[in-house]
């Protein structure tokens, strides 16, 4: 029996796969009670899973290191390791609706839009698969399955059975696969190109001389030379076409590779027979030209797709694999980021990227959010601030506390939303897929009919004409028409930090007639400030502000943040009881004051707090307290250089037009919010939030696109009217609670309008979901983001106009691509059937048709770059 690993094992080689360890100490796994060096995180995870499964004997009995590619023990099924729970923890996740497990897979071997149709149909037929979507541009699939009904290894094996490679997505492995694919495609293209030029040189005399002018010996020599040069093109360069055709036929789902392979095979076979027998026409020039041009067009399509997917790759590969975790005793250890749990403390050095969402525990610093929002200037952070995963520490080392594990952090959320966009397809794309699915079968039948007819008309031309029909058709252009355009559009938008989260978004936006905006945080800066405290007579404004801040503790609403910021530390020492938050209305709680008295408080609009309009009007007319009475850090109004919102509290217009919340106390015997006699108004808190500087231009731009704009807000009428007037919005509605907002949007839709909703907060989530299309902007809440069809990650809202313009341009490109593909095939196939197109011209036409679709789609990328 082989001896177990010895203590003198080579520490410079990976213990699992045997490759060199380029970063000693970074990855390791405990085998036989001893840390063993690993070359990468993948080998570390595999070795750990083998040990956890009780299969340590594998390392004792193996005859050599494991394969780096397979990364699984020989005595296990090749893919069964992916069924291990510990291994799946690194890439699988529970579906958002709790139904099944979801995984993102990297696919190898995809060659055209028909591959998407084949893979989705194959997976849909598998027992236990709940949903499956394949993205041709990024070559990724999102599969949701029921672990109780099937295993992941079974699904991966099914991919291989139909001719594709599939593994859980890993950015580094994906990059290696991209490099391998690019090199292989270029080598095949190079061989085909060299052979084509030589064969064309030998074929040229036959085109410029009359029959019989070339001596038979020289004619035979050129035929044999062409045959020898064409053999490597057919057996090497054209291999992907034959492999794809065989895969499609085995799956009983003929794709575009089938007519291509038949055309190449029949033309080469007929030419070879003519060369051997010395009778008949040869088409070696057509074969080599067809293979070269088709490979060339696919190579350019590959480059276009990689360019479209580059923005997504930048996000998915951004998170570091390992982090420095701090122990309770102050010690440090390097651990994989996927092992972090909420509450863990980590240290991030200057220049390092933060792996997960976390809170800064102490001190202050600055983080670079360029990857997430496009902001070029580092953003300052202080203790207590949340820092998103994917940010780069732009200053001194930071100590942070983990908020969410890697699978739920910002980067993972963005990646998951992008994958969700591939799960549903726009109507045009679905139509194109259905047409392409039957196109090839119809083409094969038509080619046989053409061959039979020409056997009667002119038997010598039957084969060339049938080959031309097969070659000239371009099902690839038809199936690529929409995916290529969508990939270019979504990739360029992501580069501009505009995230498409659902596949139908761009198409839905083109049909919108009305745009409904929320006010606070959407059209305004989202940084409101308390500009005045108007307390009831005899009340201490500082104490009342502290009470209000205590009630708002934990709320994410912009007004809540403004009140907490104005109160400073005063409200932090007060702990409310029985706190109840009603989004869009207000908050209630019981509070023990400093003298021990208990107060039952309400904070919100006048109507929700249960005070009548006379009481509210009287409170609005109450004199504001001096700023330094409730905000010690504020500039005194009587100082010569006083400025800022808090300095303008004596301006009656500013107070009247400000947003407001009321602090109201419920008296003993008042058990509900109905009736006005059992509560008293303690203070009115005036809050101001300036419109965004780019908002007016955005509203005007949407008007130029023919869109009607509306402003919908829960704020009071003077504040909403002022913003609407400043931005040029004629249709507005104030004091709308969440139910009324929902009714407003539904009313527009019932009147025939197609509605785009643009919002920012939790209150907007139901309306975002109910609109025809929706956009979450700026610092949108997690709930609003999950409900939205698109997310603008950048701090500016100019992306709303850019998104609308891109959607319309994308639809034009998609329509052009489909129109071109349909018109080309409708014209070229009948012309070829009448014998008017030689095989070499058919090859050029087919390749140029595919290339035209790809290049037309890349205009979206170029247009977005020029407009950025």
């Amino acid at each position: 029996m082989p001896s177990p690993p010895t203590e003198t094992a080579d520490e410079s080689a990976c213990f699992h796969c045997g490759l060199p360890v380029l970063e000693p100490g970074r990855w390791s796994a405990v085998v036989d009670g001893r840390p063993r060096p690993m070359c990468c995180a993948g080998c570390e995870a595999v070795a750990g899973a083998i040990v956890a499964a009780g299969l340590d004997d594998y390392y004792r009995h193996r005859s050599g290191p494991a394969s780096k590619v397979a990364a699984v023990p020989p005595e296990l099924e090749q893919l069964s390791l992916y069924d291990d729970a510990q291994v799946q923890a690194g890439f699988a996740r529970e579906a958002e609706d709790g139904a099944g497990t979801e995984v993102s897979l990297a696919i190898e071997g995809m060659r055209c839009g028909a591959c998407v149709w084949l893979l989705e149909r194959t997976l849909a037929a598998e027992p236990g698969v709940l949903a499956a979507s394949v993205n041709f541009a990024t070559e990724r699939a999102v599969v949701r399955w029921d672990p109780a009904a099937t295993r992941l290894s079974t699904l991966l094996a099914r991919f291989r059975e139909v001719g594709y490679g599939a593994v859980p997505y890993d950015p580094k492995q994906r990059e290696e696969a991209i490099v391998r694919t690019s090199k292989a495609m270029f080598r095949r293209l190079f061989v085909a190109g060299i052979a084509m030029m030589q064969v064309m040189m030998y074929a040229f005399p036959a085109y410029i001389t009359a029959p019989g002018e070339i001596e038979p010996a020289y004619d035979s020599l050129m035929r044999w030379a062409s045959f020898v040069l064409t053999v490597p093109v057919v057996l090497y360069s054209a291999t992907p076409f034959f492999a794809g055709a065989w895969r499609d036929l085995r799956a009983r789902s003929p794709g575009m590779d089938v007519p291509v392979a038949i055309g190449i095979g029949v033309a080469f076979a007929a030419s070879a027979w003519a060369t051997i027998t010395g009778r008949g026409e040869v088409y070696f020039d057509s074969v080599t030209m067809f293979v070269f041009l088709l490979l060339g067009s696919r190579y350019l399509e590959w480059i276009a797709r990689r360019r479209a997917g580059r923005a997504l790759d930048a996000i998915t590969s951004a998170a570091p694999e390992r982090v420095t975790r701090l122990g309770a005793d102050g010690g440090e250890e390097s651990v994989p980021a996927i092992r972090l749990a909420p509450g863990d403390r980590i240290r991030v050095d200057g220049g390092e990227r933060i792996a997960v969402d976390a809170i800064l525990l102490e001190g202050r610093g600055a983080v670079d959010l360029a990857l997430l929002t496009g902001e070029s200037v580092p953003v300052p952070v202080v203790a207590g601030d949340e820092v998103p995963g994917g940010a780069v520490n732009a200053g001194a080392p930071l100590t942070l506390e983990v908020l969410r594990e890697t699978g739920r952090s910002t980067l993972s959320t963005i990646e998951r939303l992008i994958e969700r966009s591939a799960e549903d397809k726009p109507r045009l794309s679905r139509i194109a897929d259905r047409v392409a699915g039957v196109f090839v079968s119809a083409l094969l039948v038509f080619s046989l009919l053409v061959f039979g007819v020409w056997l009667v008309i002119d038997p010598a031309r039957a084969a060339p004409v049938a080959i031309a029909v097969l070659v000239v058709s371009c099902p690839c252009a038809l199936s690529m028409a929409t995916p290529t355009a969508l990939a270019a559009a979504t990739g360029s938008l992501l580069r501009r930090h505009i995230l498409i989260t659902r596949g139908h978004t761009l198409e839905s936006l083109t049909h919108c007639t009305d745009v409904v905006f929320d006010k606070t945080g959407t059209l305004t800066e989202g940084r409101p400030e308390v500009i005045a405290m108007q307390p009831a007579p005899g009340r201490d404004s500082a104490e009342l502000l502290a009470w209000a801040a205590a009630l708002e503790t934990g709320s994410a609403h912009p007004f809540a943040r403004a009140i907490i910021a104005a109160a400073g530390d005063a409200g932090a020492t007060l702990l409310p009881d029985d706190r109840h938050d009603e989004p869009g209305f207000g908050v209630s709680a019981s509070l023990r004051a400093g003298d021990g008295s208990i107060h039952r408080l309400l904070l919100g609009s006048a109507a929700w707090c249960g005070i009548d309009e006379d009481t509210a009007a009287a409170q609005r007319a109450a004199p504001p307290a001096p700023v330094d009475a409730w905000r010690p850090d504020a500039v005194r109004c009587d100082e010569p250089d006083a400025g800022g919102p808090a300095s303008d509290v004596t301006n009656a217009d500013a107070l009247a037009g400000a947003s407001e919340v009321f602090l109201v106390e419920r008296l003993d015997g008042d058990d509900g919010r109905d009736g006005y006699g059992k509560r008293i108004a303690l203070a009115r808190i005036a809050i101001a939030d300036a419109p965004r500087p780019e908002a007016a231009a955005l509203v005007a731009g949407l008007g130029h696109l023919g869109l009607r704009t509306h402003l919908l807000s829960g704020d009071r009428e003077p504040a909403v009217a002022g913003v609407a007037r400043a931005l040029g919005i004629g249709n507005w509605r104030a004091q709308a609670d969440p139910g009324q907002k929902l009714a407003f949007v539904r009313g527009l839709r019932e009147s025939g309008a197609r509605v785009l909703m643009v919002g920012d907060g939790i209150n907007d989530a139901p309306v975002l979901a109910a609109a025809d299309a929706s956009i979450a902007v700026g610092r949108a809440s997690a709930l609003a983001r999950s409900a939205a069809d698109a997310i603008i990650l950048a701090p500016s809202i100019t992306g709303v106009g850019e998104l609308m313009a891109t959607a319309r341009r994308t639809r034009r490109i998609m329509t052009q691509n489909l129109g071109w593909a349909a018109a080309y095939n409708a014209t070229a196939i009948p012309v070829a059937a009448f014998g008017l197109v030689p095989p070499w011209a058919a090859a050029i036409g087919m390749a140029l048709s595919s290339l035209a679709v790809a290049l037309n789609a890349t205009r979206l990328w170029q247009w977005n770059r020029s407009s950025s």
Side-chain angles (χ1 to χ4, degrees):
M1 177 180 295
S3 59
T6 66
E7 297 297 321
T8 59
D10 184 5
E11 297 292 330
S12 65
C14 178
F15 184 76
H16 180 72
C17 71
L19 292 180
V21 176
L22 302 180
E23 300 180 65
R26 184 174 184 184
W27 295 288
S28 65
V30 177
V31 181
D32 281 345
R34 177 187 169 190
R36 306 290 182 172
M38 300 288 162
C39 66
C40 65
C43 286
E44 178 186 62
V46 170
I50 292 173
V51 173
L55 300 172
D56 306 56
D57 285 347
Y58 157 68
Y59 289 108
R60 299 188 182 92
H61 296 287
R62 64 178 179 173
S63 58
S67 166
K68 176 67 174 178
V69 177
V72 294
E75 53 269 297
L76 297 177
E77 294 181 8
Q78 188 176 13
L79 301 172
S80 61
L81 187 63
Y82 291 118
D83 296 328
D84 185 273
Q86 288 188 337
V87 176
Q88 284 192 10
F91 55 79
R93 57 186 176 270
E94 183 181 1
E96 288 186 5
D97 58 4
T101 303
E102 200 171 68
V103 66
S104 177
L105 303 174
I107 309 299
E108 290 190 31
M110 292 183 62
R111 298 154 46 74
C112 71
C115 298
V116 175
W117 180 81
L118 172 61
L119 286 174
E120 290 183 343
R121 196 181 75 163
T122 300
L123 290 172
E126 280 295 301
V129 174
L130 305 177
S133 62
V134 180
N135 190 312
F136 176 61
T138 60
E139 295 185 307
R140 292 171 67 174
V142 179
V143 180
R144 185 192 305 178
W145 79 99
D146 180 2
T150 189
R151 296 180 301 174
L152 178 59
S153 60
T154 302
L155 303 180
L156 298 180
R158 190 73 181 102
F159 275 93
R160 298 193 176 191
E161 288 174 8
V162 293
Y164 300 88
V167 293
Y169 179 81
D170 176 83
K172 288 189 176 180
Q173 292 182 2
R174 177 62 184 152
E175 189 61 34
E176 292 172 0
I178 289 172
V179 172
R180 288 197 306 270
T181 301
S182 296
K183 289 182 177 179
M185 293 180 70
F186 184 79
R187 284 195 298 266
R188 289 191 173 92
L189 179 64
F190 179 78
V191 170
I194 293 295
M196 181 197 68
M197 290 187 291
Q198 295 298 319
V199 171
M200 290 298 294
M201 182 178 68
Y202 294 139
F204 183 70
Y207 288 107
I208 62 174
T209 59
E213 288 188 11
I214 302 177
E215 294 185 17
Y218 291 114
D219 184 61
S220 177
L221 177 63
M222 288 187 290
R223 288 189 175 202
W224 278 103
S226 298
F227 170 77
V228 171
L229 289 168
T230 306
V231 167
V233 175
V234 174
L235 298 184
Y236 175 67
S237 295
T239 300
F241 304 121
F242 293 110
W246 176 243
R247 176 197 62 213
D248 293 344
L249 292 175
R250 280 195 307 160
R252 298 179 182 178
S253 174
M256 71 148 291
D257 283 333
V258 173
V260 169
I262 292 176
I264 295 173
V266 171
F268 178 74
S271 301
W273 178 253
T275 300
I276 294 172
T277 61
R279 296 189 301 274
E281 296 292 329
V282 295
Y283 310 103
F284 294 124
D285 56 335
S286 298
V287 171
T288 55
M289 179 186 296
F290 180 46
V291 173
F292 172 74
L293 291 176
L294 193 53
L295 287 175
S297 66
R298 288 195 174 182
Y299 187 69
L300 293 176
E301 292 162 14
W302 164 261
I303 293 174
R305 284 191 281 131
R306 289 313 313 145
R307 178 183 295 173
R310 205 166 290 154
L312 174 58
D313 291 341
I315 289 178
T316 56
S317 62
E321 293 181 349
R322 299 186 73 87
V323 297
T324 301
R325 184 168 61 186
L326 305 178
D329 58 354
E332 298 180 357
E333 61 174 337
S334 178
V335 298
I338 60 174
R339 295 183 185 173
L340 290 176
D344 286 349
R345 293 188 305 132
I346 60 175
R347 193 197 75 225
V348 181
D349 291 331
E352 291 184 350
R353 196 173 294 278
I354 299 168
V356 295
D357 296 351
I359 291 179
L360 182 61
L361 289 178
E362 56 189 34
R364 59 181 64 244
V367 293
D368 183 351
L369 300 176
L371 176 70
L372 302 174
T373 67
E375 295 175 90
S376 58
V377 179
V379 177
V381 291
V382 298
D385 285 352
E386 180 177 339
V387 182
V392 174
N393 180 10
L398 300 176
T399 301
L400 305 112
E401 179 179 314
V402 175
L403 267 180
R404 288 173 281 274
E405 60 269 22
T406 54
R408 298 185 181 277
S409 283
T410 299
L411 283 178
S412 296
T413 300
I414 291 175
E415 183 180 356
R416 186 162 56 250
L417 290 172
I418 294 172
E419 291 170 351
R420 186 177 71 182
S421 70
E423 293 181 10
D424 55 340
K425 298 178 181 179
R427 184 179 58 85
L428 279 177
S429 184
R430 292 195 300 270
I431 293 174
D433 286 347
R434 286 197 294 268
V435 172
V438 300
F439 181 87
V440 173
S441 299
L443 175 66
L444 294 175
V445 173
F446 182 71
S447 298
L448 288 175
L449 292 175
V450 170
F451 180 76
V453 171
W454 275 95
L455 279 178
V456 176
I457 299 174
D458 185 352
R461 298 190 62 195
V465 172
I467 291 172
V469 171
L470 286 172
V471 170
V472 79
S473 66
C474 196
C476 195
L478 187 62
S479 59
M480 285 173 50
T482 58
T484 309
L486 288 172
T490 55
S492 60
L493 286 170
L494 184 57
R495 177 178 170 270
R496 299 162 69 83
H497 302 93
I498 301 173
L499 181 63
I500 301 297
T501 68
R502 287 185 170 84
H504 67 80
T505 301
L506 292 175
E507 185 175 31
S508 296
L509 287 173
T510 62
H511 299 302
C512 287
T513 58
D514 292 68
V515 182
V516 178
F517 287 100
D518 176 52
K519 182 179 75 71
T520 304
T522 302
L523 290 178
T524 61
E525 291 279 8
R527 293 191 294 269
E529 293 189 48
V530 175
I531 62 169
M533 281 291 298
Q534 294 171 272
R539 293 286 187 169
D540 183 343
S541 58
E543 181 182 42
L544 296 178
L545 182 61
W547 290 3
L551 264 64
E552 293 285 22
T553 300
S555 174
H557 195 282
F559 285 5
R561 293 197 297 266
I563 292 171
I564 293 171
D569 296 332
T573 59
L574 302 175
L575 300 177
D577 291 326
D578 300 326
R579 185 178 183 276
H580 179 70
D581 190 352
E582 291 190 27
F585 293 95
V587 60
S588 63
S590 295
L591 197 69
R592 184 181 295 273
D595 59 3
S597 58
I598 303 295
H599 301 269
R600 295 190 299 166
L601 303 174
L602 299 159
L603 183 68
S605 66
W608 185 80
C609 289
I611 58 174
D612 57 32
E613 185 55 35
D614 291 338
T615 302
Q619 201 61 46
R620 293 186 188 109
V627 177
D628 55 0
W630 52 270
R631 189 169 181 174
D633 62 337
V635 179
R636 288 183 58 88
C637 299
D638 55 359
E639 291 181 5
D641 297 326
S647 303
D648 198 27
V649 295
T650 57
N651 187 319
D653 291 337
L655 282 179
S659 302
E660 65 184 15
V661 292
F662 287 86
L663 182 64
V664 174
E665 182 172 7
R666 289 164 41 187
L667 303 180
D668 291 339
D670 180 5
D671 295 325
R673 296 196 182 92
D674 296 330
Y676 301 124
K678 298 179 181 179
R679 60 202 66 196
I680 58 172
L682 301 180
R684 175 188 186 247
I685 305 175
I687 301 173
D689 188 13
R692 292 176 183 263
E694 71 273 18
L698 169 63
V699 172
L702 294 175
H704 291 153
L705 291 176
L707 297 166
R708 295 183 293 270
T709 54
H710 309 259
L711 177 57
L712 189 59
S713 176
D715 208 348
R716 56 193 295 265
E717 185 171 314
V720 178
V723 171
R725 186 168 51 252
L727 301 182
I729 299 177
N731 305 311
W732 55 270
R733 180 171 178 177
Q735 295 177 306
D737 61 41
Q740 292 170 332
K741 290 182 179 181
L742 191 59
F744 180 85
V745 169
R746 287 175 174 170
L748 284 177
R749 296 185 65 189
E750 290 171 0
S751 68
R754 302 293 292 272
V755 180
L756 165 63
M757 179 68 197
V758 185
D760 173 51
I762 293 177
N763 304 340
D764 304 316
V767 193
L768 290 171
D772 295 284
S774 56
I775 302 174
V777 301
R779 293 171 292 276
S781 69
L783 182 56
R785 291 182 180 214
S786 68
D789 298 321
I791 301 170
I792 298 177
L793 299 171
S796 171
I797 60 170
T798 56
V800 174
E802 296 170 5
L803 183 52
M804 291 298 297
T806 300
R808 295 188 176 194
R809 190 175 180 88
T810 301
R811 183 175 175 83
R812 286 199 301 270
I813 295 293
M814 290 168 60
T815 303
Q816 291 168 5
N817 281 353
L818 287 172
W820 161 253
Y824 167 80
N825 283 294
T827 303
I829 292 176
V831 171
F834 281 107
L836 302 177
V837 179
W840 63 267
I844 295 176
M846 194 271 198
L848 291 180
S849 179
S850 296
L851 188 58
V853 168
L855 292 179
N856 193 38
T858 60
R859 292 198 299 140
L860 287 165
W861 180 267
Q862 298 296 332
W863 176 73
N864 277 282
R865 287 185 62 187
S866 64
S867 61
S868 55

